[in-house]
Every structure is written in structure tokens, then in C-alpha cells.
Amino acid sequence: MTNGKLLIKGGRIIDPANKVDVVGDLLIADGRITQVGGKIADASAETLAAAGCIVCPGLIDIHVHFREPGEENAENIASGSAAAVAGGFTSVACMPNTNPALDEETAIDFVYRKAAAANLCNVYAIGAITKGRRGEELAEMGQMVRAGAVGFSDDGQGVAQTGTMYRAMQYVTMFDRPILQHCEDPDMAHGGVMNAGTTATRLGLPGIHPMAEELMIQRDLTLVRHTGARYHVCHISTHRAVELVRQAKAAGLPVSAEVTPHHLLLTEETCSNFDTNCKVNPPLRTRSDIEACIQGLIDGTIDCLATDHAPHGIQQKELEFLDAPFGIIGLESALPLYVKALIEPGHLEWPALIEKMTVRPARVLSLNKGTLAVGADADVTVIDPKRTWTIDAAQFASKSRNCPFHDWPVAARPVATIVAGQIKYRL
Ligand SMILES: [Zn+2]
């Protein structure tokens, strides 16, 4: 593309932010959307044929772990960005549980510099709530906001001390940034490696009770009611947690929630073969929890989809189930897995799915993204909804391979990922 123009021809343009769902062309110039819909002729533009494909705002994932600084052998910001665009994502937000944690201005700067050098997708930084994520002293959130932090989280663990969480919520209301909580009471969850229930008992593995999640959400909702802080429930996983968020929203509290692909597709039973690629936190739950999460997506209780992309090196995941770290990668398999969980069974149509991967996550972090409005940043994903393929972790751009969906036959695949008008990935 020499003159900065790109013409995407003949796709089904789905832009939930503007309630658009039409077949037509889309023109990009100088990094912005300049014309949407109808037949567009521009002989000077590079052309991308999109007949039979969906053309939508670039997908957004507000929950990824890129492991830099500290564990660059598992992932770094460049490899994570490559995985993102291969999965159709144009914007991601990095959690701060790196080593050292992203708990100060210079660390937030570091993420933005590395992301700019990688030059693949928009990478936003989420700052730690507490220094070193130790759950004690509040981090300098104000300075991190000035450096570009889009939200705050001690993800990987919940903030256990109630007074600390209360002060954190009071603090963030000064900046209109959300708290993204890893909702898990650490004392309740202590030592657990999978969902507490009949499967854990049968396998002889220590469990994490659903109450660990629900107790922290209940406490936090009380704090939200008093502080007015924006509060986001990361990776919701239990049916009672979904009900708590539903009630909080009905009461008008500024609460949002996300759910991962694995919490929509896999149950605790998957742990029966002791595959450490099924060891995630929060743990895989039960069929009724999955049904509640799906219902939460349908009725809007759960705002958005997020992968919790959590790379780990092979050596670590080859440990025993008890000792292996929590987490799986997700960026390059997310879209077809959402299709399998939500579209194929008829729970959602494409516009609703895309809404939960674009404008909704953008709103959680107040990102000026997730729309194809004229003048908006030209972040666009082109999806072939009928393309069938087999997930092959060996082919991933991610440095890690910890994916329980390897070898799954799926449908739908991103075929082009465009960031600021530049094609960053093309199948
Ligand atoms: Zn988490």
C-alpha cells in the first residue's frame, strides 16, 4: 500500500457500535476509516477481496499475559502481538503480573515502547493495584495513569485485604479507570488446583470452591456501592457469580464482566486425564456454570469475551498437575472457539458475538476503539466464517504451546488483520 489507501471489497460489514450489518465495501485512507457501505470505486487504492467474509472492527482482548519483563522465554510483547494479529486481534491489554510487576510509571512506559517496536497491534498496559502485587501498599496509580495505564489489577490473585481494596477503589475514582479484579478469596482457594467437586474428590486433587470467587465479588460489590468505582470481574466462572453481577447491574452499579473461551467449552471433567493444559485459574467448572455464563452473555450480564492468554514454557507445563502453573494460551484459537460455544449452538448471531469482542471490551477500558465509524482508527478484522480448519498449536506465533484445544476441528478464521490501515496479518 503506497498511498495509504486500502479498499475492502464486497464483505458483510458488521459494526455493532453503529448497528451496521450490510454487504458492501469499506475504504481506508491514512490509517482511518473514510467510507463504509455501498459500492466504492477508488483505482488508487490497494484492494482486498472480502466476498463471503465478515468485515468488522478489529477484535479486542482486554486480558492477556505477555510475560515481558521476566519470562520472555514463554512470551514477549513482540511474539504476543504476533499471536494477537494472527487471532484477528488489533488491540490487547496486558496484565501486570510480570516480573517485576507493572506497578510504576517506568514499567508502563516499557510496555508501550516494546509494543511500538513490535509494531503489530495496539498493546495497552494495565497497572498493578498494589506494589509488587503483594496486596498491601497501593501502587502509584496516578503516575501510571499519566504513563497510559488503562485499568488496574493484581490479576493472578485477588486483593484479599478489604481495607486495601477499599482505598484502591477510592483512588481509581479520581481517574475514571476500572479495577479489574481476579475474584478469588486466596484463603478459600489455598492449595486448590481444580474445581472443588466430585471430580476433584475422585482424582484426589485439592479443590477451589466456587465460593472463593463469589465471596470476593460479594465483598467488592459492597465496596463499589460505597465508592462508585468502576469494577470489572475478570474471567467469571460460576453460576452464582453471574447472578451476583446480574443483580449488581440491575441495582445500577458500574460493574462489568468477561468470560474466557475455556470457561464456555470445558468442564472440570477435562482434568480427568491430569492434562496440565486444563489447569487454569479460576478452574474449569461444571456444565451448569457454563450454561449460566452463556445465559449471561445472551442477556448482557457478561459484557465481553477475553482470552486470559497465559503462556507457559513446556518444561513448566510438564510438571505434575499439582505443581504445574495455572493458565493456557488463547489468542490464536479464541475466535473459532467462541463460534463453537456460541454461534454453532444458536446462542448468539455474528453481530452479537462481534459486539462482545469489539465495542463492549473497548467500553470497559474506555478505549477509543471497536467501531467502523467514518474517521475512526482503521483497525479492521476480516473473518471467513465458513473456513474449517484444525487448531494446531505447533503453528502458533506465540512462543508457547499450552493449549488444550490442539487438534480440535473448528470453523471460522481471521484472514486479514488490519491495524491503523496497515495489513499486519494475512492468511
Ligand atoms: Zn486472573
Side-chain angles (χ1 to χ4, degrees):
M1 191 168 35
T2 50
N3 62 356
K5 281 191 183 175
L6 178 64
L7 179 57
I8 305 173
K9 295 282 289 177
R12 176 182 173 191
I13 302 169
I14 300 180
D15 178 17
N18 296 295
K19 299 197 164 37
V20 169
D21 184 357
V22 293
V23 173
D25 304 342
L26 182 140
L27 182 65
I28 292 165
D30 298 323
R32 305 213 166 258
I33 309 280
T34 53
Q35 208 179 326
V36 182
K39 280 217 182 308
I40 304 172
D42 190 327
S44 67
E46 179 186 347
T47 304
L48 185 69
C53 290
I54 290 167
V55 177
C56 65
L59 306 180
I60 299 171
D61 186 352
I62 61 170
H63 190 146
V64 303
H65 301 271
F66 279 177
R67 306 301 188 208
E68 189 176 8
E71 287 174 83
E72 292 87 348
N73 59 327
E75 198 79 288
N76 61 22
I77 290 169
S79 65
S81 298
V85 294
F89 293 94
T90 58
S91 294
V92 299
C94 287
M95 284 296 181
N97 62 335
T98 48
N99 189 14
L102 309 179
D103 65 355
E104 57 176 10
E105 205 176 348
T106 52
I108 302 295
D109 276 340
F110 172 84
V111 170
Y112 285 102
R113 272 190 286 116
K114 287 285 181 179
N119 191 25
L120 286 170
C121 65
N122 305 295
V123 177
Y124 297 94
I126 294 168
I129 296 170
T130 63
K131 287 186 179 166
R133 294 174 53 254
R134 285 185 292 274
E136 294 159 4
E137 196 182 344
L138 291 187
E140 289 289 353
M141 294 196 241
Q143 289 178 10
M144 286 192 277
V145 167
R146 280 191 289 283
V150 292
F152 293 95
S153 181
D154 275 4
D155 185 48
Q157 60 202 33
V159 176
Q161 294 183 17
T162 306
T164 303
M165 194 58 180
Y166 178 50
R167 286 186 290 280
M169 285 195 192
Q170 288 178 308
Y171 195 3
V172 290
T173 56
M174 295 167 63
F175 315 112
D176 191 34
R177 294 290 192 284
I179 293 273
L180 300 98
Q181 180 75 297
H182 176 115
C183 302
E184 183 179 74
D185 182 301
D187 193 46
M188 275 294 293
H190 184 72
V193 296
M194 64 172 291
N195 186 44
T198 51
T199 308
T201 305
R202 179 166 56 80
L203 299 175
L205 291 172
I208 300 174
H209 201 282
M211 277 195 295
E213 180 164 324
E214 294 145 14
L215 285 166
M216 189 167 275
I217 295 176
Q218 273 181 319
R219 178 204 69 176
D220 286 351
L221 290 175
T222 300
L223 299 175
V224 169
R225 193 169 283 118
H226 283 270
T227 58
R230 281 166 58 200
Y231 178 79
H232 180 75
V233 177
C234 291
H235 39 53
I236 200 165
S237 74
T238 84
H239 67 276
R240 285 200 189 84
V242 174
E243 188 52 35
L244 287 169
V245 171
R246 184 176 287 120
Q247 289 167 4
K249 287 191 165 193
L253 297 182
V255 172
S256 56
E258 69 186 29
V259 64
T260 70
H262 44 281
H263 289 111
L264 294 171
L265 283 166
L266 303 177
T267 67
E268 59 181 8
E269 299 284 334
T270 325
C271 300
S272 294
N273 60 3
F274 296 95
D275 179 0
T276 58
N277 284 334
C278 299
K279 183 175 176 182
V280 289
N281 186 3
L284 302 173
R285 305 285 187 184
T286 67
R287 181 57 50 190
S288 71
D289 295 306
I290 288 177
E291 283 163 10
C293 288
I294 290 170
Q295 191 53 45
L297 283 165
I298 292 170
D299 69 18
T301 299
I302 300 175
D303 300 73
C304 62
L305 298 157
T307 64
D308 192 7
H309 178 82
H312 290 292
I314 286 169
Q315 313 88 304
Q316 285 181 292
K317 275 293 195 182
E318 276 178 352
L319 295 169
E320 296 288 314
F321 201 92
L322 272 174
D323 301 319
F326 291 103
I328 57 173
I329 52 175
L331 283 167
E332 291 166 85
S333 52
L335 178 72
L337 294 175
Y338 295 138
V339 169
K340 193 179 278 296
L342 301 167
I343 291 188
E344 287 172 10
H347 301 307
L348 295 183
E349 304 279 346
W350 273 101
L353 176 66
I354 289 167
E355 181 180 40
K356 294 168 200 313
M357 300 183 77
T358 58
V359 63
R360 292 283 172 190
R363 276 186 203 151
V364 171
L365 295 181
S366 303
L367 306 178
N368 194 12
K369 296 284 183 186
T371 168
L372 295 178
V374 169
D377 295 343
D379 295 350
V380 181
T381 301
V382 182
I383 297 163
D384 183 343
K386 297 226 165 65
R387 186 163 184 134
T388 54
W389 57 296
T390 302
I391 294 173
D392 180 0
Q395 302 296 318
F396 284 169
S398 169
K399 286 190 183 186
S400 287
R401 299 288 176 259
N402 49 318
C403 170
F405 302 105
H406 177 68
D407 262 347
W408 276 39
V410 291
R413 192 162 191 180
V415 292
T417 308
I418 297 152
V419 181
Q422 306 282 319
I423 299 174
K424 296 297 187 181
Y425 172 82
R426 185 113 187 233
L427 187 66

